């Protein structure tokens, strides 16, 4: 079940924060959020999952992100250029953001003063296995911005705790308003990155790739629903907002959904001798085709 983002929810929350009607605490360190039962995440000041501990994003005791290279990120493009990439892997915080813990258990991540782009993210756990991110993006560049694009994704490594390697089965479930992409480990632990934004306010793409954090490349890849194989890849969503006027705000959101599904047997990895036989067979086939052409 996906929790749909209502356009004014985050605006109301931010207004409440600014009016100081409940207690907030600013942090210079990552903030842990949990439902107290089975779902938790550690949020860095920059807004991605934190690399400061073994806990990044977990469900029922299974960690999904913080193994090997810790990769969770978001990126923003404007006017055909990168406006910033916030990446757990290198600890970058291009918008000078700070995490603010709320008494309701959610976390606000707010970009620093003076930033050309105001980015306010609310991270919450609306239900078991779900970590939702609601965003308000405001243009403060002083001019109209074109080709505004947003990308978000992570490297799912939930098979590591079970000694099943970094590989997952990677499937694009849907594109457009219902865009979502799922990575599943062989023992059935699955994570889905799903859009929450209702209405045709943007073009939304689901994407699977090796290590490209540029939302423009995700959008133009035009990947369609389907199984993209059993390998170690990033799962991503990308948004194309087109033009955002100065002082204009767009609201959107997505969520990470963790669940246990049916286990599966990974495809076998061919032995080196099998590759050699395959190449030899292709060589013989090519030779036969060449001889046939000569004889006709």
């Amino acid at each position: 079940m996906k929790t749909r983002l209502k356009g004014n929810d985050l605006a109301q929350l931010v207004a409440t924060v600014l009016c100081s009607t409940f207690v907030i605490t600013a942090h210079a360190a990552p903030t842990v959020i949990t439902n107290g039962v089975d779902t938790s995440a550690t949020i860095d000041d920059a807004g991605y999952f934190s690399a400061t501990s073994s806990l990044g994003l977990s469900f029922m005791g299974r960690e999904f992100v913080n193994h090997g290279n810790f990769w969770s990120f978001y990126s923003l493009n404007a006017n055909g250029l990168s406006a910033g990439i916030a990446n757990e892997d290198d600890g970058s915080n291009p918008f000078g953001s700070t995490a603010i813990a709320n008494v309701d258990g959610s976390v606000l991540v707010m970009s620093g003063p003076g930033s050309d782009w105001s980015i306010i993210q609310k991270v919450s756990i609306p239900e078991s296995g779900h970590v939702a991110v609601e965003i308000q993006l405001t243009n403060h560049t002083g001019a109209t911005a074109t080709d505004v694009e947003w990308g978000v994704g992570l490297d799912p490594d939930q098979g590591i705790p079970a000694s099943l390697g970094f590989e997952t089965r990677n499937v694009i479930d849907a594109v457009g308003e219902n865009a979502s992409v799922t990575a599943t480990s062989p023992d059935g632990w699955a994570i889905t990155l799903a859009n929450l934004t209702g209405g045709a306010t943007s073009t939304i793409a689901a994407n699977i790739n090796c290590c490209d954090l540029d939302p423009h490349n995700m959008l133009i890849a035009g990947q369609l629903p389907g199984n993209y194989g059993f390998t170690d890849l990033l799962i991503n969503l990308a948004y194309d907002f087109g033009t955002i006027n100065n002082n204009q705000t767009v609201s959107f959101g997505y969520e990470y959904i963790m669940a246990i599904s049916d286990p599966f047997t990974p495809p076998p990895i061919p032995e080196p001798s099998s590759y050699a036989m395959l190449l030899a067979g292709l060589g013989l086939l090519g030779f036969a085709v060449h001889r046939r052409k000569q004889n006709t």
Side-chain angles (χ1 to χ4, degrees):
M1 176 182 177
K2 292 196 293 184
T3 307
R4 278 289 171 187
L5 170 64
K6 296 180 181 179
N8 62 348
D9 284 353
L10 188 55
Q12 292 173 348
L13 176 63
V14 173
T16 305
V17 171
L18 296 178
C19 292
S20 301
T21 57
F22 60 81
V23 179
I24 58 175
T25 305
H27 288 261
T31 303
V32 177
I33 60 171
T34 178
N35 66 351
V37 181
D38 57 14
T39 306
S40 59
T42 306
I43 308 302
D44 191 271
D45 266 345
Y48 40 66
F49 301 114
S50 174
T52 59
S53 72
S54 58
L55 170 64
L57 176 65
S58 69
F59 174 62
M60 296 182 65
R62 177 68 67 98
E63 171 60 32
F64 280 74
V65 178
N66 285 358
H67 303 288
N69 293 328
F70 298 0
W71 278 68
S72 61
F73 76 94
Y74 61 90
S75 52
L76 174 66
N77 288 351
N79 303 313
L81 300 171
S82 173
I85 300 174
N87 186 6
E88 179 186 4
D89 183 59
D90 59 17
S92 51
N93 188 356
F95 303 102
S97 301
T98 302
I100 301 172
N102 301 330
V103 294
D104 67 355
S106 67
V107 174
L108 280 183
V109 180
M110 307 179 72
S111 57
S115 175
D116 284 344
W117 291 91
S118 169
I119 303 173
I120 302 174
Q121 304 181 61
K122 178 190 175 185
V123 186
S124 64
I125 300 177
E127 59 183 291
S128 174
H130 292 234
V131 175
V133 184
E134 304 167 39
I135 300 173
Q136 279 194 337
L137 175 66
T138 305
N139 176 7
H140 287 317
T141 63
T144 297
T146 61
D147 301 317
V148 180
E149 301 162 329
W150 180 277
V152 60
L154 56 75
D155 177 14
D157 291 327
Q158 65 268 30
I160 290 296
S163 300
L164 294 172
F166 293 99
E167 294 81 9
T168 53
R169 181 179 61 198
N170 306 300
V171 176
I172 291 180
D173 309 300
V175 296
E177 183 178 337
N178 296 315
S180 69
V181 54
T182 299
T184 308
S185 60
D187 57 346
W189 291 78
I191 182 167
T192 298
L193 177 53
N195 172 56
L196 290 179
T197 308
T201 57
S202 61
T203 299
I204 309 168
N207 177 267
I208 296 170
N209 72 58
C210 172
C211 48
D212 190 348
L213 312 187
D214 187 339
H216 182 73
N217 292 338
M218 299 177 196
L219 288 159
I220 65 174
Q223 292 179 338
L224 299 175
N227 188 334
Y228 284 77
F230 179 76
T231 187
D232 184 15
L233 295 173
L234 304 178
I235 59 171
N236 316 291
L237 292 179
Y239 296 77
D240 182 358
F241 297 111
T243 297
I244 298 180
N245 296 321
N246 188 44
N247 293 324
Q248 180 184 353
T249 298
V250 296
S251 299
F252 61 103
Y254 38 82
E255 67 178 341
Y256 305 90
I257 305 170
M258 296 165 285
I260 303 175
S261 60
D262 294 331
F264 63 92
T265 301
I269 300 175
E271 297 292 333
S273 58
S274 300
Y275 282 117
M277 292 177 63
L278 175 61
L279 292 173
L282 291 173
L284 288 173
L285 179 61
F287 177 74
V289 171
H290 178 69
R291 286 293 301 273
R292 179 174 294 180
K293 287 183 178 179
Q294 283 185 329
N295 293 332
T296 56

